[in-house]
Amino acid sequence: MTEKQKKTLGIAGVLALCFTNLAYMSDLIILPCYAAIFGHFADDSPMVTNFIASGTQLTSIVGALIAPVLMRYFSKKKILIVAFGLFVVQGCCTGLVDDAGYVAVMRGITGVFMGIQFPTAMALLVDMFADDDLKRNKYTGWFDGIMAGTGAVLMILGGVLLSAFGWQSIFWGYIVGVPIWIMILLFVPDTSAERTRDYDAARAERGMEGEMPKFPVRKMICIFIAAIAAQGFYGCIVYEFSMYLGENFMLPGWANGVLGAAKGVIGFIFGMFVFAPLFKRAKRHTPFIFFGAQAIAYFGLYFVMPGAFGIVWFLVWYAFIGIAFGLAVPYYHSYVSAVFPLKQVPLATSLMSIGLQLGAFGSTYFVTFLETTFNTGGAYTPVLPYVGACCVAAAVLALIAAALDKDGKKALARMDEQQQQQQA
């Protein structure tokens, strides 16, 4: 096999891992359909219908806790083949029975597969480029950029299927996972189980001497809290954007899907093309940028404009949410893979993904808390400046954390050394 063929297969494997994010972003296919689903099951308990909407984020924590255990005993490729394959089959069957309890249970199972897929695919990507921080950051940007793009496609697909065939048909959209499963089978490289790997030799190859350092619990707690905040503030508009549009504009379901997808398109562009060069320069200060982008978005969206100009106004500020998403998730992925020892990356990635999922799950409840605290009468739009103020506080805390993070500064300096070696 020529070097060109090896490179082509390597990129195909990276793309296959990126496309597995269909599982992680699977919630977005039903976002444009919330009103239809809630209306159809109006006589059922709100607890059940709310679980249909966001329960996957809760059960995905179970999957994220299982993932590092599975990675210890099985190869990451085999885990993805089984978990992603079952996700596709089970996801397509979610709408087969017209019963709220059945749909809720199936959505809960979807969340478990989401939780397994995300950290496993990310840990495998780290394995593929363990010795090259620059390439790993580049492909991490691809991973999360394509994740945002996948979300955009799913939102449009969900809106179209809803308009054409009704709410039960939206789950058939998961059938697009079949070619992705085939790509995993053909192009993703196999790896040994974690318990069989010689990490001492791997550390020696990377110029690291001495005993394996202990798992940095305090640093992991900080990353965990930051991931909750980043995804939680993101979810405050993403999971509520249909409420925002409903309060301020009268649009059909397919139009909601298209407008919601705009954020995914921007996230795709920033993840694919902007993150790696920006992270190379901003490094630990990247969180200040994406928390700042979120703050700008919420303050801008608060000032609603009428008519067609209002739609354009919404898209301008909603784009900043896409920017934040295109930078936030790949930042925490890149940070973990650079700062944590290779042996600790699967566990750290799983814990980070739990933080992201908790943030997404809790975002709707955070909005409800703000509505109650500031007595908005159940209206969503008035809470936006309060969310924006929280984002400003997070940006300031991110600057302080960056100044205190000496370990991160030292680990991320390897990128500059690698770049100098490549230029030499």
Side-chain angles (χ1 to χ4, degrees):
M1 184 182 293
T2 65
E3 286 299 320
K4 185 176 181 180
Q5 288 173 321
K6 289 181 181 179
K7 184 178 180 181
T8 301
L9 280 175
I11 293 176
V14 169
L15 290 174
L17 289 177
C18 293
F19 290 138
T20 63
N21 278 318
L22 171 71
Y24 188 71
M25 302 301 283
S26 58
D27 271 7
L28 297 191
I29 200 169
I30 74 169
L31 277 186
C33 316
Y34 275 3
I37 293 174
F38 287 176
H40 185 78
F41 294 124
D43 295 332
D44 289 276
S45 167
M47 293 291 290
V48 176
T49 51
N50 282 332
F51 191 86
I52 291 173
S54 61
T56 51
Q57 296 296 330
L58 188 62
T59 58
S60 64
I61 295 172
V62 177
L65 290 171
I66 294 172
V69 179
L70 293 175
M71 284 187 268
R72 179 166 172 76
Y73 294 98
F74 303 98
S75 79
K76 298 177 182 69
K77 178 176 180 176
K78 290 183 176 67
I79 295 170
L80 283 177
I81 289 172
V82 174
F84 191 81
L86 289 175
F87 157 78
V88 173
V89 173
Q90 174 268 332
C92 289
C93 295
T94 299
L96 291 181
V97 179
D98 187 2
D99 178 77
Y102 169 84
V103 176
V105 169
M106 294 296 278
R107 291 281 293 151
I109 298 171
T110 295
V112 175
F113 293 131
M114 286 167 55
I116 294 173
Q117 169 271 326
F118 191 66
T120 304
M122 193 62 231
L124 182 48
L125 186 64
V126 171
D127 282 353
M128 291 172 66
F129 303 99
D131 299 322
D132 192 330
D133 290 340
L134 295 177
K135 276 190 176 180
R136 187 176 65 246
N137 293 337
K138 173 184 176 182
Y139 292 131
T140 297
W142 283 26
F143 185 86
D144 295 294
I146 289 175
M147 179 167 66
T150 301
V153 172
L154 287 175
M155 292 192 78
I156 295 173
L157 181 60
V160 170
L161 289 173
L162 173 66
S163 298
F165 306 109
W167 73 267
Q168 286 175 281
S169 69
I170 62 176
F171 299 105
W172 283 100
Y174 295 151
I175 203 167
V176 300
V178 172
I180 299 172
W181 185 83
I182 294 172
M183 288 181 68
I184 299 170
L185 203 64
L186 296 178
F187 302 123
V188 171
D190 210 352
T191 59
S192 57
E194 291 292 317
R195 66 173 180 168
T196 65
R197 300 181 67 180
D198 187 351
Y199 281 104
D200 290 333
R203 281 171 57 78
E205 288 176 6
R206 299 181 77 180
M208 299 177 181
E209 300 177 354
E211 296 181 3
M212 177 74 68
K214 294 181 180 179
F215 190 83
V217 176
R218 264 189 284 185
K219 187 175 292 295
M220 189 68 246
I221 291 173
C222 291
I223 294 172
F224 187 77
I225 294 172
I228 290 176
Q231 195 76 345
F233 295 147
Y234 166 79
C236 284
I237 181 65
V238 171
Y239 281 93
E240 304 281 353
F241 90 102
S242 59
M243 296 292 294
Y244 178 88
L245 294 176
E247 287 179 4
N248 301 297
F249 309 101
M250 296 298 293
L251 300 169
W254 65 265
N256 284 352
V258 171
L259 288 175
K263 168 266 308 170
V265 173
I266 299 297
F268 169 78
I269 293 171
F270 269 74
M272 287 286 288
F273 306 111
V274 178
F275 170 72
L278 178 66
F279 179 56
K280 193 160 56 178
R281 291 168 175 79
K283 294 185 177 67
R284 297 164 298 132
H285 298 95
T286 307
F288 175 77
I289 298 173
F290 57 72
F291 280 123
Q294 288 179 325
I296 292 170
Y298 284 111
F299 287 126
L301 289 169
Y302 176 66
F303 297 100
V304 181
M305 299 293 176
F309 180 75
I311 299 295
V312 176
W313 180 267
F314 165 79
L315 287 173
V316 168
W317 300 113
Y318 200 48
F320 280 90
I321 295 294
I323 292 171
F325 186 79
L327 298 178
V329 182
Y331 169 77
Y332 292 116
H333 279 159
S334 296
Y335 184 91
V336 164
S337 61
V339 175
F340 284 71
L342 197 59
K343 185 177 182 178
Q344 298 171 355
V345 166
L347 176 59
T349 304
S350 296
L351 292 174
M352 183 205 66
S353 69
I354 290 172
L356 294 172
Q357 288 145 4
L358 279 175
F361 177 74
S363 62
T364 55
Y365 298 95
F366 180 60
V367 169
T368 301
F369 167 76
L370 291 176
E371 288 173 347
T372 304
T373 302
F374 295 103
N375 194 25
T376 66
Y380 170 70
T381 307
V383 308
L384 293 178
Y386 300 110
V387 180
C390 292
C391 293
V392 171
V396 173
L397 288 174
L399 274 181
I400 296 171
L404 298 175
D405 185 14
K406 295 180 180 179
D407 291 339
K409 181 179 180 180
K410 182 179 178 181
L412 297 178
R414 287 202 308 266
M415 291 189 295
D416 298 327
E417 296 172 4
Q418 290 177 4
Q419 188 174 17
Q420 291 170 1
Q421 290 172 1
Q422 290 179 4
Q423 290 174 348

